[in-house]
Amino acid sequence: MKDAATRFGYSVNKDRQIDFDNNSHDIALRVAAAEPTLNLCISCGTCAATCTAAKFADFSLRKIILLVKRGEVGGLEMEASRCMLCGKCQLACPRGVSTRNLILQINKALQTSKL
Amino acid sequence: MKNKHVAVIGAGPAGLEASSLLVSMGYAVTLIEKEEESGGHLKRWHQLFPNRKAGSEVLAILQNQLNGSASIEFNKEITSVKPFSGKFIISTSDGWVTHADSVLMTTGFDLFDARKKEEYGYGIYDQVITSADLEEMFKTEDSLKIRLGQQPKRFGFVHCVGSRDEKAGNIYCSKVCCVTAVKQAIEVKELFPDAEVYCFYMDLRMFGRHYEELYKEAQEKYNIQFIRGRLSEASENKYGGVIVKVEDTLLGKPLKITVDMLVLMTGMVAPLVTSRIRDLLGLTKDEDGFLAPSDIHLSANICEIPGLFMAGACSGPKTIGDTLADARSAAVAVDKYFKN
Ligand SMILES: Cc1cc2nc3c(=O)[nH]c(=O)nc-3n(C[C@H](O)[C@H](O)[C@H](O)COP(=O)(O)OP(=O)(O)OC[C@H]3O[C@@H](n4cnc5c(N)ncnc54)[C@H](O)[C@@H]3O)c2cc1C
Ligand code: SF4
Ligand code: SF4
Ligand code: SF4
């Protein structure tokens, strides 16, 4: 019985689904308040394409922005801290997202939410 | 030349605009409409994208410029158009008949019947409505507030309902619904500033002038969120909320969210009766069902039958601006036909 349950995907592991209703949207609200250009992102990926850090590590600003917006912030801190704040992405972003400050604010919000 | 008689079938924006132009060129025009009033779909729209002009204002201008100069026949659904020794016989199924030297088809589009996408719950769940229903609700100030109570928390807009969907029989894009969703999302936020609004889309097609700006305004000023993914299904929870499932394709993860109201952006389809007329006439059958002009670049209002013309959404999805320009171009084509 137990065997069948796990094999058919009814296990107790957290599934991959984004549970938007139950996720906390506190980080997204705080980041948007501190850096309103969060809302301007169109997920084009230019920032990640130009990013120096992304060449060496699993890090994409585009993805981080989306994860923040969806409230999928568990374990995000490590990834978000990989930014070197070089500011290259800010020159490239077509929507005028203030990317550098955005990452600073995301890092700040993630850190204070732990306290 | 100038005593020629043109029958214009369908008194929507295309029919109204083409008729007034043909009249000003000196032709005798009979405008034939199946409903009891003119205006077509425009009479249902509260405010128009991209500039939020009142639909009623645009309609009044189109109606006034005609102002009695063409005869209008209401409550007559044309089911047959036949060429007959250089003229056309135009008739309804209940025996009304008229003749004309030329026919302009301006029969527009039908809204996709959202009940066909059963998995989205239209006609099953109370809080699943269509974009056309929402326009109706905007028209009467309080109807949305009464329906939802004062504090709805979340709205969802589903793009491409019945469009870009071969399962629904339509491979094409209906063109106007992306920007309509953005416009309606803004209007909802104005009515309920504390509500969250989500658009579920496959691609955002902001093709027209000022559309991208409207999209940016929706993000910047109204905090409307866009989630890329096509709805798999909607279901109701025990509190009357609608549970929506999509894949957030930009994150590669399934996503579940509950909304208080789900708005389906239904697309345009070719009216069945128009297709029947097309088949009776033996005109080219385009896969999408809309009337096929001889050439989409050079002769968008002409088909293989001399004297038969088309304008507006009956030859494919169009905005009102597109439709009116197309109608004027059709009037010029009719004029050219008689002068040759
Ligand atoms: C939800 C939605 C919102 C929209 N909002 C906007 C907007 O904000 N701005 C914008 O630019 N565009 C908008 N549009 C597009 C707009 O509605 C069309 O561009 C316009 O209605 C096309 O005009 P038409 O005259 O070609 O067709 P229609 O408006 O469909 O008019 C066709 C007319 O022909 C009549 N008819 C049909 N068949 C027959 C027959 N056999 N015999 C007699 N009469 C017949 C119909 O009753 C109707 O009166 C929207 C579309 C949708 C679906
Ligand atoms: S500022 Fe950070 S995210 Fe932007 S390019 Fe530099 S390292 Fe990458
Ligand atoms: S470049 Fe700008 S708009 Fe594009 S994904 Fe990055 S932040 Fe978003
Ligand atoms: S305009 Fe947008 S919503 Fe409408 S069919 Fe095209 S892509 Fe889909």
Side-chain angles (χ1 to χ4, degrees), chain B residues 46-62:
Chain B
H46 176 54
Q47 288 181 347
L48 305 178
F49 64 76
N51 62 355
R52 311 271 306 268
K53 201 180 176 90
S56 57
E57 196 182 320
V58 174
L59 179 56
I61 290 168
L62 293 175

Side-chain angles (χ1 to χ4, degrees), chain A residues 16 18 20-21 70 72 95, chain B residues 154 212 219 248 252 254 258:
Chain A
R16 292 182 63 250
I18 302 171
F20 200 90
D21 297 342
R70 305 289 183 259
E72 294 278 292
R95 264 301 178 95
Chain B
R154 276 189 200 144
E212 184 72 17
Q219 292 180 301
D248 189 330
T258 310

Side-chain angles (χ1 to χ4, degrees), chain B residues 138-187:
Chain B
F138 285 147
K139 279 190 168 183
T140 37
E141 194 57 29
D142 289 332
S143 72
L144 200 57
K145 287 196 171 152
I146 291 164
R147 185 176 175 132
L148 286 164
Q150 285 300 312
Q151 293 303 336
K153 223 174 129 231
R154 276 189 200 144
F155 289 80
F157 285 83
V158 186
H159 291 228
C160 304
V161 176
S163 308
R164 305 178 69 198
D165 181 355
E166 293 192 47
K167 286 275 152 58
N170 304 320
I171 189 178
Y172 57 87
C173 163
S174 288
K175 195 167 165 178
V176 300
C177 15
C178 270
V179 61
T180 299
V182 168
K183 184 212 67 161
Q184 293 188 332
I186 290 175
E187 286 170 294

Side-chain angles (χ1 to χ4, degrees), chain B residues 257-283:
Chain B
I257 181 172
T258 310
V259 297
D260 298 301
M261 179 168 260
L262 191 65
V263 184
L264 308 181
M265 305 310 296
T266 46
M268 299 189 188
V269 296
L272 274 179
V273 179
T274 306
S275 306
R276 213 175 301 147
I277 294 172
R278 174 201 64 193
D279 294 344
L280 279 171
L281 286 165
L283 300 174

